[in-house]
Amino acid sequence: MATDKAWGGRFSAELDAGAARFLESVSFDKRLADEDLRGSLAHAEMLGSIGVLSPEEVRALTEGLSALRDTVRAGDFPWDPAREDVHMNLEAALGPAGQRLHTGRSRNDQVATDLRLWARGACASVGALVDRLALALVDRAEGEIDTLLPAYTHVQRAQPNRLAHHLLAWVEMLERDRGRLDDCSRRLNECPLGSGAVCATTFPLDRERTARALGFLRPTRNSVDATADRDFLVELLAALAITATHLSRLAEELVWWSTQEFGFVELADAHATGSSMMPQKKNPDVAEVVRAKVGRVVGDLVALLVVLKGLPLGYNRDLQEDKAPCFDAVDTVSASLAVLADTITHLRFDRPRMRAALGHGFVTATEVADWLVTRGVAFREAHGVAGRLVALCLARGVELSGLPLDAWREVHPAFTEDVFRALDPEVAVERRDVFGGPARRRVLEALADARARLDARRGPTP
Ligand code: ARG
C-alpha cells in the first residue's frame, strides 16, 4: 500500500478506504499498461529533446520504463489498488527517476492517449479476425461453386442459388465490418499528449514529435476536446455492435441449417455439443452462444453512450467508466469471430439435401414469368400467369415440372415445350448472369475478387 498521501500537500487525510475501493480503476485499466509505458517513453524522450530533462534523466527513465514493460508482460507487476490507476502505479514504480516524468502531462491527456493507442490496436486485431472468418468463408465457397440450393426470402424458398454466392454474402458484410474498423482507426489516429488536464501546458512541448513517435498522424487540435471526448470509443463499439449483429445472423443460419428440418449442414463433432439427458442430440451451442453475445456488445455500446451523454466539458471522472465496456466488447467479438471461423472451416455441407430442397416450393416460378416476358408478355401479366400455374400445381399435388403442357397452355397459349428447360435450377441460376448475381462465371469473379482483397490486406506471404 502507498504510504504517502496520494494527492500531496492539499490533503490532510487519506481517502476513505471504501471510497478508495470504489474509485480505483487499476483492477481493470492495468490492461492499458503497455500503451501507458509507450506513451511515457515518447513523452520522456520528447522532454529530453526540448531540454526539460537532462540526457541522464531520460536514460534513467528509458531504462526504467523498459524494465517495467518486461515486468508487466511477465505478469509480475505488483498492482496496488491504493495507487488508484495504471498511471500512478507505473509512475510510482519508476522510483526517483519517475518524479520528473509527469512534467507537462496530466493523467487526462495520458489516459486519452493510452485509449487511442489501445483502440488502434483493437481495430487492427479485431480486423484481422474479421478477415480470418471471411477467408474461412471464401475457402468454403470455392469448394461449393457447383452446389445449388434455394435462396430464401421470408424463410420461404424463393429462387435457386449457388451456395458459393450465398456464402459470399456474409463475406461482403464482413468486408464492411472491416472497413468500419479501419475508418475508426484512421479517425482516432491523433495524439492527445500535450493537452494536459484541460488547457495544455506552459512547457514548450514538441507535440509533433510525440505524435510521430507513437505512430499518430498528428497531435489533436484542441486540448479540451482531446481530454473530454471518447467518441472514438463509441465508433469502435458501434462497429463491433454491427459486427456482432452480423455474427448473430450467421450463427442463426448455422442453427437452422443444422436442424433435422433443414439438414443443410452438419457441424463437426468438435464444434457441437451433446445433451446431458437425450443421447441422440447434437446441439449447435457454439452458434447459439455467438447468436446471444450480440446482446452484451450492444449493451456495451449503450453503456458507453449513456456515460457520455450530458457530460460537461472538459474531463470528468465519469470517463473512467469507458473502459470496461470497451474491453468487454473487443473480447466478446474477438472470441465470437475466432470460434465461428473454426466452425465454418470444419462443417460439412449436405449437397444432396440442398439440391433436393430445390425440387419443392416452386423455386423456378420466377423463371416461368421471365420466360413469358421474353415472348412479349408484360411482366405483371406473366407474374399472374405463373401464380395461377402454381395454384394449379398445388391443387393437383404436383411440381411445375409435373404439369403436362396442355395444362400450361390452358393457362396461357404462348407456352411451348421449351418452358420445361427454364424449370431446371441449373439453367435458372446460369441465366442470372449480371454483376452481383449467381451465374457461375460471376461467382468465380466475385470469389477471385474477395480473395484478392483479403490477400492484399494480409500482405505478401513470407
Ligand atoms: N482512471 C482515470 C480514467 O480512467 C484516469 C484519469 C484520472 N484523472 C483525474 N483527473 N482523476 O479516466
Side-chain angles (χ1 to χ4, degrees):
M1 294 290 274
T3 49
D4 51 327
K5 283 198 289 296
W7 306 111
R10 165 74 174 79
F11 286 80
S12 54
E14 287 294 342
L15 182 62
D16 168 76
R21 265 198 308 282
F22 183 67
L23 290 177
E24 71 82 23
S25 59
V26 69
S27 53
F28 51 92
D29 67 15
K30 63 184 177 199
R31 180 160 171 173
L32 298 173
D34 215 75
E35 288 79 8
D36 199 68
L37 291 165
R38 277 157 63 200
S40 290
L41 194 61
H43 184 65
E45 280 170 348
M46 182 276 297
L47 288 177
S49 79
I50 60 168
V52 168
L53 294 184
S54 70
E56 298 72 50
E57 287 168 331
V58 173
R59 195 169 331 108
L61 275 171
T62 312
E63 281 166 14
L65 288 165
S66 56
L68 274 182
R69 192 192 49 209
D70 295 342
T71 313
V72 168
R73 287 192 182 166
D76 292 336
F77 190 90
W79 299 108
D80 180 359
R83 294 205 191 274
E84 197 177 290
D85 59 22
V86 62
H87 323 292
M88 310 254 272
N89 266 265
L90 292 174
E91 187 185 307
L94 285 167
Q99 299 265 324
R100 287 175 188 274
L101 175 61
H102 217 49
T103 312
R105 189 175 72 167
S106 154
R107 282 184 299 156
N108 295 355
D109 59 348
Q110 193 177 353
V111 70
T113 305
D114 292 2
L115 282 168
R116 284 179 189 245
L117 287 172
W118 176 82
R120 201 174 68 191
C123 288
S125 69
V126 179
L129 285 168
V130 169
D131 281 356
R132 197 180 127 198
L133 175 57
L135 198 61
L137 286 157
V138 167
D139 284 343
R140 294 311 308 265
E142 250 166 22
E144 305 298 333
I145 185 72
D146 291 317
T147 306
L148 301 190
L149 81 170
Y152 292 78
T153 64
H154 313 266
V155 205
Q156 306 286 325
R157 288 178 193 163
Q159 289 172 345
N161 193 13
R162 286 188 190 282
L163 178 54
H165 189 57
H166 180 93
L167 295 176
L168 283 175
W170 297 118
V171 175
E172 288 299 316
M173 294 178 220
L174 293 169
E175 178 79 24
R176 291 191 295 277
D177 288 337
R178 169 74 203 227
R180 271 181 285 271
L181 290 168
D182 292 345
D183 291 346
C184 171
S185 186
R186 242 189 316 276
R187 196 159 24 252
L188 67 73
N189 206 15
E190 296 179 342
C191 187
L193 278 181
S195 300
V198 59
C199 279
T201 169
T202 56
F203 296 95
L205 302 189
D206 184 348
R207 296 196 59 210
E208 294 283 349
R209 186 186 173 106
T210 24
R212 228 177 309 117
L214 292 169
F216 289 114
L217 286 177
R218 56 188 158 262
T220 50
R221 279 196 296 260
N222 182 295
S223 65
V224 182
D225 165 57
T227 44
D229 205 3
R230 296 289 184 267
D231 57 354
F232 60 98
L233 295 178
V234 176
E235 282 192 39
L236 171 61
L237 294 204
L240 294 177
I242 297 173
T243 303
T245 306
H246 285 152
L247 299 187
S248 79
R249 297 181 69 174
L250 177 50
E252 166 74 347
E253 180 163 283
L254 292 176
V255 172
W256 276 70
W257 281 16
S258 60
T259 57
Q260 279 161 27
E261 285 70 14
F262 262 90
F264 284 2
V265 298
E266 186 188 350
L267 299 170
D269 282 0
H271 297 275
T273 42
S275 156
S276 60
M277 187 187 190
M278 300 166 283
Q280 84 283 12
K281 291 295 288 295
K282 183 170 179 182
N283 294 331
D285 290 27
V286 170
E288 290 171 290
V289 175
V290 169
R291 185 173 60 182
K293 290 284 188 194
V294 64
R296 277 173 78 145
V297 181
V298 171
D300 291 329
L301 169 63
V302 173
L304 181 63
L305 283 167
V306 178
V307 165
L308 295 179
K309 185 207 163 288
L311 272 191
L313 294 181
Y315 175 86
N316 297 275
R317 187 65 179 271
D318 309 51
L319 292 176
Q320 179 166 295
E321 288 295 307
D322 58 1
K323 292 168 200 64
C326 291
F327 296 158
D328 185 66
V330 165
D331 292 345
T332 304
V333 172
S334 300
S336 300
L337 284 163
V339 79
L340 265 188
D342 289 342
T343 305
I344 298 281
T345 297
H346 297 289
L347 60 76
R348 187 180 66 79
F349 291 114
D350 193 330
R351 297 169 188 162
R353 187 80 192 202
M354 291 181 176
R355 185 72 200 211
L358 287 167
H360 311 278
F362 311 103
V363 290
T364 47
T366 315
E367 315 309 310
V368 173
D370 287 355
W371 189 94
L372 283 174
V373 169
T374 57
R375 271 118 189 123
V377 181
F379 182 78
R380 267 302 142 228
E381 192 196 338
H383 180 278
V385 169
R388 283 200 293 286
L389 284 164
V390 168
L392 193 62
C393 286
L394 286 169
R396 295 194 187 180
V398 294
E399 293 294 321
L400 283 166
S401 55
L403 202 63
L405 187 60
D406 293 348
W408 289 74
R409 281 205 217 272
E410 266 170 47
V411 180
H412 200 287
F415 282 122
T416 63
E417 191 68 34
D418 187 46
V419 73
F420 288 101
R421 247 181 59 75
L423 301 180
D424 179 352
E426 192 81 45
V427 173
V429 174
E430 275 315 273
R431 294 193 58 215
R432 290 159 192 285
D433 187 10
V434 294
F435 181 77
R440 196 171 194 279
R441 73 181 184 106
R442 300 289 184 173
V443 179
L444 285 173
E445 274 169 21
L447 268 170
D449 220 60
R451 190 175 283 289
R453 280 196 306 267
L454 289 164
D455 282 352
R457 282 204 290 268
R458 276 197 303 176
T461 30

